[in-house]
């Protein structure tokens, strides 16, 4: 299975497109060179092609999109040389025209230098962002105890790796515990809240004997963080799971978050569980949630999804039918299931406006061996 956080900045840039920060496609890099070669050969073959000479002036600005200052300067110099070679029949440009081409070439070199410096700065900031993201939510292993993990994460805010969704899978003295949640807001403004909640969860996993106590620790963390802050309104939805040591059952509590979906026997259904108030409102101990225990068998899987997936809408305004679509993907492997759901959202043209998180959990209970008499 692939790690749920195994995405890279390269993949993130590809999804944004080359006009929004991704490296330019190959044809953009080849275009200025191809244009120079084509115009030069055409003018060498026939003097009637000299009317194409104006295209040479576009080569330095095109080079800015893909090349650094040295390569841009080289292409600009080649353009000036071609304009002054008698064999190309372009050696009679007016003095003003030639000066214009030289000025455009020099300006293109300067713009390329500025762009290269800014690109280097963006790469450095991207690397820092990735380091912060890995520190906040390090990559999950393929397996935690008897539970396999795989999934998908995408922040709603372009150019960021961390959004308002958070998730973790940890083994502790009371079994393997899982959390998925969604804090108020998204993007960089939600990172501080995500850090606080994940820190509280990781500590509580080692100390608290039940899921309600884990949730109380996280709730208290948010209440303390928002104390003294006017109009803080700091809260988060969450779903917590606890697998028994033999992975034959899982306990689930929900705090305003969508419940898990159970894939069992080729069918998918949402786990029925009464939800309590979101974390951060100070109501966890006042209105305790109703925990449910779900028995698990070989081949069963649980999928957790954030609001970004559940609330995706199509052109008619209908929500994405996640359980129904998961039934259609029942034969898909656990490592590919989250990616299949995300691809399905795109194919069916559902609009995802929030952070999108999918986490597939595959418990593997011990095999019961029957002895023949």
């Amino acid at each position: 299975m692939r790690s749920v956080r195994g995405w890279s900045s390269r993949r993130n840039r590809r999804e944004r497109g080359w006009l929004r920060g991704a490296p330019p496609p190959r044809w953009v890099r080849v275009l200025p060179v191809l244009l120079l070669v084509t115009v030069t050969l055409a003018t060498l073959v026939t003097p009637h092609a000299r009317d194409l000479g104006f295209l040479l002036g576009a080569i330095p600005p095109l080079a800015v999109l893909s090349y650094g200052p040295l390569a841009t300067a080289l292409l600009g110099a080649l353009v000036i040389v071609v304009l002054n070679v008698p064999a190309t029949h372009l050696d009679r440009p007016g003095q003003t025209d030639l000066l214009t081409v030289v000025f455009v070439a020099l300006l293109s070199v300067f713009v390329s230098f500025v762009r290269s410096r800014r690109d280097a700065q963006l790469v450095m900031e991207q690397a820092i962002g990735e380091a912060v993201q890995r520190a906040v939510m390090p990559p999950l292993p393929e397996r935690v105890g008897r539970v396999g993990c795989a999934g998908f994460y995408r922040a709603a805010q372009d150019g960021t790796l961390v959004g308002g969704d958070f998730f973790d899978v940890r083994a502790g003295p009371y079994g393997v515990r899982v959390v998925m949640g969604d804090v108020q807001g998204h993007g960089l403004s939600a990172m501080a809240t995500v850090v606080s909640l994940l820190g509280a969860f990781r500590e509580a996993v080692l100390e608290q004997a039940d899921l309600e106590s884990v949730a109380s620790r996280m709730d208290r963390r948010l209440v303390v963080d928002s104390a003294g802050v006017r109009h803080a309104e700091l809260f988060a939805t969450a779903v917590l799971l606890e697998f028994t040591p033999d992975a034959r059952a899982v306990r689930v509590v929900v705090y305003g978050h969508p419940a898990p979906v159970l894939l069992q026997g080729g069918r998918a259904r949402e786990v029925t569980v009464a939800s309590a108030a979101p974390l951060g409102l100070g109501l966890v101990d006042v209105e305790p949630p109703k925990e449910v225990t779900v028995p698990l068998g070989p081949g069963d899987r649980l999928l957790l999804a954030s609001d970004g997936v559940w609330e995706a809408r199509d052109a008619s305004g209908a929500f994405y039918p996640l359980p129904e679509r998961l039934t259609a993907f029942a034969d898909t492997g656990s490592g590919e299931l989250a990616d299949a759901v995300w691809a399905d959202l795109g194919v069916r043209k559902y609009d995802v406006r929030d952070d999108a998180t999918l986490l597939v959990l595959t418990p593997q209970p011990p095999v019961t061996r029957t002895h023949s008499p």
Side-chain angles (χ1 to χ4, degrees), residues 312-315 320 325 329 339-352:
R313 295 174 180 264
D314 61 11
Y320 182 68
R325 298 306 301 155
F329 296 132
D339 287 328
V341 172
W342 177 253
D344 189 56
L345 282 164
V347 169
R348 293 177 173 270
K349 302 186 183 305
Y350 278 83
D351 184 20
V352 181

